[in-house]
């Protein structure tokens, strides 16, 4: 997953250390969007360098789809456990 010109590779370790990842598996990871279109907007990013998702092999595609569903579940859990959590997060970004 290392490519010195890829913005996602360049910042991955920083995002992980800060706790910005919503979900991660061996194929993909999800992080909060820094310029969200809606509350709880997250990006799911494959760890393989591809231009289109169709380039993922079957195992990677399955892991990527699993990452999407688990990201959704993790966001749901955050809302149930503490609805104020996401509002606080976005308020911090905007200030």
């Amino acid at each position: 997953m290392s490519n010195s010109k890829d913005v996602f590779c360049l910042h991955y370790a920083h995002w992980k250390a800060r706790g910005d990842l919503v979900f991660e598996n061996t194929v993909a990871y999800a992080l909060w969007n820094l310029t969200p279109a809606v509350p709880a907007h997250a990006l799911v990013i494959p760890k393989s360098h591809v231009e289109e998702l169709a380039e993922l092999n079957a195992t990677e595609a399955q892991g990527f789809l699993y990452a999407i569903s688990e990201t959704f579940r993790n966001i749901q859990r955050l809302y149930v456990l503490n609805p104020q959590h996401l509002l606080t997060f976005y308020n911090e970004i905007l200030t």
Side-chain angles (χ1 to χ4, degrees):
M1 189 182 100
S2 181
N3 181 333
S4 63
K5 295 180 182 179
D6 178 3
V7 67
F8 297 107
C9 286
L10 285 171
H11 297 286
Y12 168 80
H14 175 72
W15 292 327
K16 187 168 183 162
R18 279 187 13 176
D20 290 339
L21 300 187
V22 181
F23 176 80
E24 181 175 24
N25 63 16
T26 59
V27 176
Y29 63 95
L31 67 139
W32 297 112
N33 190 324
L34 296 178
T35 56
V38 296
H41 185 175
L43 299 174
V44 180
I45 302 158
K47 290 182 177 179
S48 295
H49 292 270
V50 295
E51 289 187 27
E52 298 179 4
L53 293 178
E55 296 175 28
L56 296 174
N57 66 39
T59 302
E60 291 170 326
Q62 184 177 9
F64 185 79
L65 291 174
Y66 181 77
I68 293 170
S69 64
E70 287 303 302
T71 298
F72 175 76
R73 285 186 186 91
N74 286 347
I75 291 171
Q76 276 186 313
R77 283 186 206 110
L78 285 173
Y79 269 119
V80 169
L81 293 176
N82 183 0
Q84 209 49 40
H85 170 79
L86 293 173
L87 295 174
T88 302
F89 175 83
Y90 288 115
N91 284 333
E92 288 174 5
I93 288 176
L94 296 173
T95 58

